[in-house]
Amino acid sequence: MYVIVLGIGAWAMNRAIDYGFIIGPGFKLPAHFAPIYFPMGNAATGFFVTFAMLAGVVGVASAIAGLNHIRSWNASSLPSAASITGVAWIFTLLAMGFACKEIELEIRNAHLRTMEAFLIILTVTQLVYIAAIHGGA
């Protein structure tokens, strides 16, 4: 699921770069310029996509560390799996908070709705994953 979040986030970031503000020597800044501008969505979209992509990268690292822990299944692999899992959950919680804000502000497309749903599901799933990793100790 984190890979899907990364894919949708990469699409949104690419679209923001392609259709965002063009700033150069002959251009003036727009009146309400924001460095995190996304042509789709609302005011929370830039923050949501940025933190969703961070959560996706750390979540994939968490899955890799968890698989390594399951493969070796010893006390020396548990701390790294548990710590990266906690960091991934914190980033996922932060991205879910921005997803909730984006839902509250409405105006968003189907891709963003999909990413919001995945992040809300991943927040609960990551918490269960933390419990499973610590339960294996």
Side-chain angles (χ1 to χ4, degrees):
M1 288 181 77
Y2 278 116
V3 173
I4 294 171
V5 167
L6 279 173
I8 297 171
W11 167 83
M13 191 68 70
N14 184 46
R15 188 162 169 86
I17 291 169
D18 288 344
Y19 299 106
F21 293 122
I22 300 172
I23 300 171
F27 297 104
K28 289 176 34 180
L29 281 176
H32 299 288
F33 175 72
I36 303 177
Y37 170 74
F38 282 74
M40 74 297 233
N42 52 43
T45 302
F47 297 103
F48 169 61
V49 170
T50 302
F51 284 103
M53 289 184 66
L54 282 171
V57 169
V58 178
V60 168
S62 169
I64 292 169
L67 288 173
N68 184 44
H69 174 60
I70 289 172
R71 187 180 57 83
S72 62
W73 200 261
N74 57 27
S76 64
S77 65
L78 178 63
S80 64
S83 64
I84 193 69
T85 302
V87 172
W89 186 60
I90 289 169
F91 274 117
T92 307
L93 270 175
L94 188 58
M96 186 202 70
F98 284 119
C100 292
K101 184 63 177 177
E102 187 162 310
I103 290 168
E104 178 187 328
L105 294 175
E106 298 176 356
I107 310 172
R108 59 205 195 280
N109 63 16
H111 296 292
L112 295 174
R113 286 187 198 140
T114 303
M115 195 159 63
E116 291 162 3
F118 271 65
L119 276 166
I120 291 168
I121 293 167
L122 277 169
T123 301
V124 175
T125 306
Q126 191 71 20
L127 184 61
V128 171
Y129 182 53
I130 288 172
I133 288 287
H134 286 292

